[in-house]
Amino acid sequence: MRGPARLLAVLALLAGGAWALDRAFPPNLLRYELRAREVPARDGRLLAVWPAAGGVWRLHTRAEDAPPHLIEMLIAAEDGRFHLHPGVDPLAITRAAAQWARAGRVVSGGSTLAMQAARLLEPRPRNLRSKVIETARALQLQWRFGRAGVLDIWLTLAPQGGNIEGLRAGALAWFGRPLSTLDPAESALLVALARRPEATRPDRFPEAARAARDAVLLARARGVATQAEIALAGEVPHQRHALPRHAPHFTRDAAAPATLDLDLQRSIEALAARALHGLPPRVSLAIMVTDIATGETRAAFGGEWMAEGRAGALDLTRAVRSPGSALKPLVYALAFEAGVVRPDTLLEDLPRRFGTYAPENFDREFQGRLRVAEALRQSLNQPAVALLQEVGPMRLVTAMKAGGALPRLPPGAEPALPLALGGVGVTLREMMGLYALLGREGGGAIEARAARMAARLLVQPLPGGGPPGIAWKTGTSWGGRDAWAMGLDGRHVVGVWVGRPDGTPMPRATGARLALPLLAQVFARLPSAPLEPWPLRPGPTVAAAAPRADPVRLLFPPPGATLPEAGRVVLRAAGGQRPLTFLVDGAPLALDRARREVGWVPPGPGFYRITVLDAEGSSAGVELRVR
């Protein structure tokens, strides 16, 4: 075998042996892979960081994350021939050995960045045996990952003092800014910290930190930095910054989507902090902003994070509470859909009993005759209950479920008229979905025109000022336990809840007093997208309760009927002005509208609301059950 062929054979044998050793003894990458969890905002900026196991703030850092001058400093200070050697620098090792022989002690270590990366991956006692292992691992790391991979490992694991690891984490902790924004002096401090992280911590040993930083600046590009440049470097930071932790209740979930707007989130958190400062110690609040078109959350404040007395560990956007009158717009939208009333229909707000149920208004007064639009804006209770009686509680429950809300009723209770006044448990997140139905003009759960009509009726000036064109509604649960304000414009839904997490009453609390001012301030932080109010006719129309010579009525089924599941049911009506329209849970049935009956096949067991409408908008309805 000739010389070149023999050389190739030897090289092939060595490469094969290296490959076999690499597979038999792979590097332990556990520390490199066990990193803090980062949650990005929708624009990619860092929204929140959750530490790795053991409370270590270790952030993945790549060379492209750092400014070029930092990489130059790092190589100049730690491994001047980084781009030339295979992971181990024979010249540096020879020099270190000679210095050790002359001085009788270690003068320079001769470690390359690859050797340091090996030590950071698997920390060992500083002795000769460890040095031999690190040397072998350095060759392996650079052979396996290349120089870029070695840099990534070093930049990710480099200690930065205390429980901070990685230069991205160091930049956030010591300067409160991304690594890419650091100037040469700031970059030099992070490189210096990696050498002696505890002895040069700037918050504890500022003079040592400054001296170490200046030494790195001098080593930059083999002494290019001048004393004047060092003099301009200034002081080192004297305290650590907290790493980003925005929307903690939202981002602690590992599956949290990157939909939050960082700037808006910061603004909402600052607003909530000021508001909490003016509330009693046990009272908390929650705020949400969602995009109507996509349903994505743009900002979320779930309470004062980990605050004692305010249930700070709980996400109050998920707390099940009574919405009070904030649910009324959905009742009105369903009444518009069913044709029971129009915005300019006259209603009577007078004392009335619904069986054993006799609702009163908040101020215990009655307004007499007024238009539907005013009844909704004034949040009157009697008209809302009367409309729900016409629509049917089951229709409301169906619409709520379609909007993503799971109505929570007392055990064994059936949907009933108190639902109109908030007699049901929902969360703020679910209320956001229900108001999004109005903003999306029904979203398939409600007829589009009816949803649009209800939303536009709520457009009115915000007390105390605020952006125009906002549709809003407040709600107060029984006993002042919950204060709500819900609103929407052409782009966003905003929800605010104020209350005690334990559900105890708040004296004199109302949605208008506690939640509505916050709602106005949130909308002031959003891009303007005003809604136009619903155009009302100048004069009154026929009252919904006006007497008729022969009012429309259902002959079959009778009220409270129970029907077997199988088989066709014939719905029959009498009276009223034809043509008639029959509806099941608000959905019309196809028929010859000149007739007074229609066939219907129940889709399955459950409760159904049957309504008949005549040509003048009068209606009659019953509830039935199919077993």
Side-chain angles (χ1 to χ4, degrees), residues 452-515:
R452 182 169 62 252
M453 198 181 301
R456 269 53 175 189
L457 287 180
L458 295 173
V459 176
Q460 51 190 321
L462 285 159
I470 307 298
W472 57 271
K473 182 73 182 73
T474 61
T476 307
S477 66
W478 184 81
R481 288 170 167 79
D482 306 281
W484 296 79
M486 302 294 302
L488 65 150
D489 61 8
R491 190 178 302 174
H492 297 99
V493 174
V494 175
V496 178
W497 171 86
V498 181
R500 288 177 173 161
D502 60 6
T504 54
M506 299 180 294
R508 299 180 301 281
T510 65
R513 188 172 71 87
L514 294 180

Side-chain angles (χ1 to χ4, degrees), residues 585-617:
D585 288 342
L589 300 176
L591 79 158
D592 179 355
R593 298 178 68 187
R595 301 188 58 180
R596 295 184 179 272
E597 65 181 44
V598 63
W600 169 60
V601 179
F607 291 88
Y608 298 88
R609 175 72 180 180
I610 310 299
T611 305
V612 60
L613 304 176
D614 75 355
E616 296 184 0

Side-chain angles (χ1 to χ4, degrees), residues 562-578:
T562 299
L563 305 178
E565 178 179 357
R568 180 172 179 269
V569 179
V570 177
L571 309 179
R572 294 187 177 90
Q577 181 67 42
R578 289 184 290 185

Side-chain angles (χ1 to χ4, degrees), residues 79-82 85-95 110 112 115:
D79 190 354
R81 282 179 289 275
F82 174 73
H85 60 69
V88 176
D89 186 351
L91 295 178
I93 292 178
T94 302
R95 183 189 67 245
T112 63
M115 294 171 69

Side-chain angles (χ1 to χ4, degrees), residues 79 94 101 124 132 181 188 245 257 273 303 393 397 442 489 498 522 545 561 591 603:
D79 190 354
T94 302
R124 292 183 175 87
V132 171
T181 68
R245 180 67 66 82
V397 168
D489 61 8
V498 181
V522 173
L591 79 158

